[in-house]
Amino acid sequence: MDQIYREKSLEYWDGIHKEYDRANIKTDDWLDKFDDIITGCRKPILDLGCGSGNDTLYLINKGKKVISCDQSPSAILNIAKNFPEVYDAKCFNMLDGLPFEDEAFEVVIADLCLHYFKETDTRNILADIRRILIPGGHLILRVNSVNDVLHGAGQGKEIEHHVFEMEGKTIKRFFNEEDIRYFFKDFEIEYLNEEIMTRYKLEKRLFRVCVRKK
Ligand SMILES: C[S@@+](CC[C@H](N)C(=O)[O-])C[C@H]1O[C@@H](n2cnc3c(N)ncnc32)[C@H](O)[C@@H]1O
């Protein structure tokens, strides 16, 4: 990825992830749909791009072992402070590869963190997620929809198909169904649905997706 986008993304997110208390974290119910997968998972679950830990908290509440990861040092410090139950909390940039053994995970969660990359980076990160999943393992994710107009879809300079440069020089990808089928073609798509999330002040249009490593 262009160095400038990478630096701006870190600066932006590290600025967002200021100190907060666990009591301020809201979970939402998007993972309920995959309860059988989550409940049946025996290994720790990887929460990629965990941010403030909404999904980490959901998984902890389910009694799961969670490994929470983010590029933002502040996010990871907050996770360690607020969620002493986490199995591990790691700070790394997905663009540098995922620091895990092959087939280390049965389930990877990537909530709203896989839409910040140009095509080559997106493909490399997805290949790496595939590598660390066991055969039959699941990647459960949400990504921006091309219809997410309240959060920048179709606005700003389009630097690649469906990838826009935002104010402050961060970038965002907006997916349509065809894009998802293209990027996830090495997985089996088990669930794919465009929906509205209301966790943010402005409603957000996104795709909820569950794919399985063939
Ligand atoms: C919209 S937030 C989502 C946070 C959380 N998953 C949730 O849904 O509440 C996106 C997160 O992805 C992280 N992220 C973005 N690009 C990343 C990268 N290249 N490597 C690791 N984390 C990244 C950001 O730091 C940020 O915390």
Side-chain angles (χ1 to χ4, degrees):
M1 181 197 252
D2 313 46
Q3 192 60 21
I4 183 74
Y5 294 137
R6 181 179 166 137
E7 284 169 10
K8 289 292 173 187
S9 170
L10 178 56
E11 186 183 311
Y12 174 79
W13 286 110
D14 210 45
I16 296 264
H17 295 308
K18 303 230 168 63
E19 211 178 324
Y20 62 89
D21 286 329
R22 180 175 177 141
N24 302 121
I25 295 300
K26 283 191 216 144
T27 58
D28 72 59
D29 61 1
W30 76 285
L31 288 171
D32 286 357
K33 179 104 203 137
F34 313 107
D35 194 50
D36 51 340
I37 295 170
I38 288 167
T39 306
C41 177
R42 304 240 171 272
K43 293 181 188 247
I45 295 180
L46 184 61
D47 184 7
L48 272 181
C50 63
S52 307
N54 310 66
D55 299 308
T56 291
L57 179 59
Y58 177 95
L59 294 166
I60 284 173
N61 287 342
K62 290 254 162 199
K64 293 289 146 184
K65 286 185 179 158
V66 187
I67 301 181
S68 306
C69 309
D70 205 281
Q71 65 173 337
S72 156
S74 307
I76 294 306
L77 282 173
N78 287 328
I79 291 281
K81 181 196 91 174
N82 282 316
F83 306 107
E85 310 96 314
V86 289
Y87 190 73
D88 201 358
K90 282 182 183 285
C91 187
F92 61 84
N93 195 311
M94 286 187 260
L95 290 162
D96 297 327
L98 305 177
F100 301 105
E101 303 279 307
D102 294 358
E103 302 185 6
F105 295 96
E106 278 176 62
V107 177
V108 174
I109 308 291
D111 192 9
L112 303 172
C113 67
L114 294 178
H115 48 216
Y116 297 113
F117 311 108
K118 287 166 115 178
E119 172 162 353
T120 308
D121 294 323
T122 307
R123 286 161 55 107
N124 288 342
I125 291 169
L126 290 179
D128 217 16
I129 294 176
R130 227 178 138 262
R131 175 186 67 76
I132 63 171
L133 276 173
I134 58 164
H138 288 90
L139 165 61
I140 304 173
L141 65 132
R142 295 193 291 191
V143 283
N144 297 326
S145 156
V146 287
N147 298 313
D148 193 20
V149 289
L150 297 180
H151 295 271
Q155 295 147 46
K157 183 171 141 202
E158 189 168 24
I159 57 164
E160 200 181 71
H161 182 57
H162 287 168
V163 181
F164 292 82
E165 190 180 280
M166 301 283 126
E167 216 178 293
K169 285 226 174 276
T170 56
I171 60 171
K172 270 190 188 179
R173 173 181 293 282
F174 297 88
F175 291 78
N176 62 18
E177 189 173 327
E178 194 186 341
D179 298 333
I180 289 176
R181 294 198 182 279
Y182 169 72
F183 280 108
F184 293 90
K185 60 181 180 302
D186 295 331
F187 294 86
E188 182 189 329
I189 296 180
E190 289 190 343
Y191 183 86
L192 169 58
N193 194 39
E194 184 173 9
E195 45 204 56
I196 294 174
M197 183 187 87
T198 54
R199 201 177 77 199
Y200 296 163
K201 198 153 53 171
L202 298 175
E203 69 178 31
K204 178 168 182 65
R205 286 190 174 262
L206 46 71
F207 282 93
R208 172 163 37 167
V209 186
C210 176
V211 297
R212 184 173 175 273
K213 177 172 169 179
K214 292 180 206 165

